[in-house]
Amino acid sequence: MYKVGLFISVFPTVLFGPILRYTDLAEQIRLRRTTTIGAFGAGWERLVMGSAKLVILAVPLNAVAMSIFANSALRDQVGSTPMTLAWLGLLAFCLQFYLAFSGYSDMAIGLARMFGFSLKANFNYPYTAHSVTNFWERWNISLCRWCYVYVFIVLGGRRAKRVVSGRAIKPRNFALRNYFVMWMLMGLWHGISWNTLAFGIWFFIFVLFEWIISLERKEKSSWLRSLYVLPVVAVGWIFLASQSIYDSFTYISNLLGINNNGFYGDMVGVYLKECGPVIVLAVIASTPIASRLFGWIEQRKNGPATYFLAMGHILIMLVLVYFCFVYANEMPTVPLIRFPNF
């Protein structure tokens, strides 16, 4: 019983994941854990990187995104959200949503590592996915796995139910029903509203389409796949960023420039002047560029420049810690991760 209590009390994962099953930590709880200096340092580094994502990048982007989405929802102000401003707001929301979520997860993983627990990554650069299905294999991995195991598989998975009300159901139709239920529940996990239901239906449609045409079995080739994925995912986020279905479609029409709101607004330049560098850093943090750079540094720590690379690595961490404390004092009291009616 004390082992179950220990699992429940792993506090770093309680609020924002990763979502754990007992089997994920059972072996680590059973064995005697040892916390080495190296493991503690790696956990501290992960904690700092997660904090930097959240405090330095996600906070200012959240302010930009929420301001633009709020202006778009003002129905009595025609021309308040020009086309370029709407795209800037959507870009800011996509970046801050990923950075806030993955930042919280990195902080939890880092804290757990400092206490001797090794947790799996919860995000794997989802914006570089080659399909919508692959995106959800990279985004909030623990949530998707939990829903697959405890919803899709429990309902029967892809197996056919022999007889229902005197007639057999084909395996494909049975799996279709199970997928639909799973995606509805994944939508409702983000809050109880029509927007979250629309969010679940939106992604269900594209995952179903890829399943029907067997997209995942085809050769994973060009970057054109990612160009198809990004707009689909971005539109899905609009349903979470907006407070109603009407506001969602209003924002989409602003993106397409069909609301007679114009193409360019002065606020675009203002926002870019304030947050342009942050957007660039956020894009880099949302791709494998930074991790590959740190990997390159690790590979060369045994070379002639070992001392300078190690000191540079430590200096970067200390600078991030400093800016995290500075920006933490200016963090808003409203939550960074907000869902409709939640």
Side-chain angles (χ1 to χ4, degrees), residues 34-289:
T34 56
T35 303
T36 63
I37 295 178
F40 188 89
W44 177 80
E45 181 178 327
R46 189 87 180 239
L47 174 64
V48 171
M49 295 298 291
S51 302
K53 282 183 181 181
L54 180 67
V55 178
I56 299 176
L57 299 179
V59 167
L61 291 175
N62 176 71
V64 172
M66 291 301 100
S67 175
I68 296 175
F69 271 86
N71 286 334
S72 176
L74 297 176
R75 303 172 189 178
D76 57 342
Q77 294 188 14
V78 179
S80 61
T81 311
M83 185 177 177
T84 51
L85 185 61
W87 280 103
L88 178 61
L90 183 58
L91 173 63
F93 183 83
C94 291
L95 291 173
Q96 75 88 19
F97 196 49
Y98 165 73
L99 292 169
F101 249 136
S102 65
Y104 277 122
S105 292
D106 286 343
M107 291 168 66
I109 293 171
L111 277 172
R113 185 76 181 273
M114 293 167 69
F115 284 103
F117 291 100
S118 180
L119 306 181
K120 295 180 180 179
N122 204 27
F123 291 83
N124 184 22
Y125 303 108
Y127 289 145
T128 63
H130 57 265
S131 68
V132 176
T133 303
N134 182 243
F135 173 86
W136 284 101
E137 292 172 350
R138 295 164 173 258
W139 177 278
N140 209 346
I141 300 170
S142 60
L143 170 65
C144 298
R145 183 183 61 179
W146 191 93
C147 289
Y148 183 81
V149 172
Y150 291 104
V151 179
F152 183 76
I153 297 300
V154 169
L155 289 174
R158 293 189 175 93
R159 297 174 299 169
K161 198 171 183 178
R162 294 294 181 182
V163 177
V164 176
S165 300
R167 61 176 184 175
I169 298 179
K170 295 180 180 180
R172 195 181 187 94
N173 295 338
F174 194 66
L176 177 64
R177 186 208 68 174
N178 297 340
Y179 269 125
F180 181 78
V181 173
M182 184 185 78
W183 277 101
M184 290 303 96
L185 291 177
M186 283 186 65
L188 293 174
W189 178 85
H190 295 85
I192 308 298
S193 73
W194 291 111
N195 278 49
T196 54
L197 283 176
F199 165 85
I201 293 173
W202 175 259
F203 281 107
F204 167 74
I205 291 172
F206 285 94
V207 171
L208 176 63
F209 170 74
E210 294 178 355
W211 180 46
I212 291 175
I213 66 174
S214 302
L215 183 64
E216 286 296 294
R217 298 180 184 177
K218 298 180 180 179
E219 184 180 355
K220 301 177 178 65
S221 54
S222 66
W223 49 270
L224 292 174
R225 291 276 191 87
S226 294
L227 292 182
Y228 141 73
V229 174
L230 291 176
V232 172
V233 172
V235 172
W237 292 159
I238 291 175
F239 291 109
L240 295 185
S242 304
Q243 294 300 311
S244 68
I245 295 292
Y246 180 88
D247 291 343
S248 300
F249 283 103
T250 298
Y251 201 91
I252 294 173
S253 62
N254 289 332
L255 291 174
L256 300 176
I258 58 178
N259 270 0
N260 297 322
N261 287 347
F263 178 77
Y264 182 82
D266 294 336
M267 290 303 298
V268 175
V270 174
Y271 284 130
L272 287 177
K273 185 177 179 180
E274 292 179 354
C275 296
V278 175
I279 292 175
V280 174
L281 291 175
V283 171
I284 294 175
S286 302
T287 61
I289 296 175

Side-chain angles (χ1 to χ4, degrees), residues 288-302:
I289 296 175
S291 62
R292 289 174 182 174
L293 176 61
F294 280 108
W296 179 83
I297 293 175
E298 288 291 336
Q299 291 176 359
R300 284 156 179 78
K301 276 188 176 180
N302 297 323

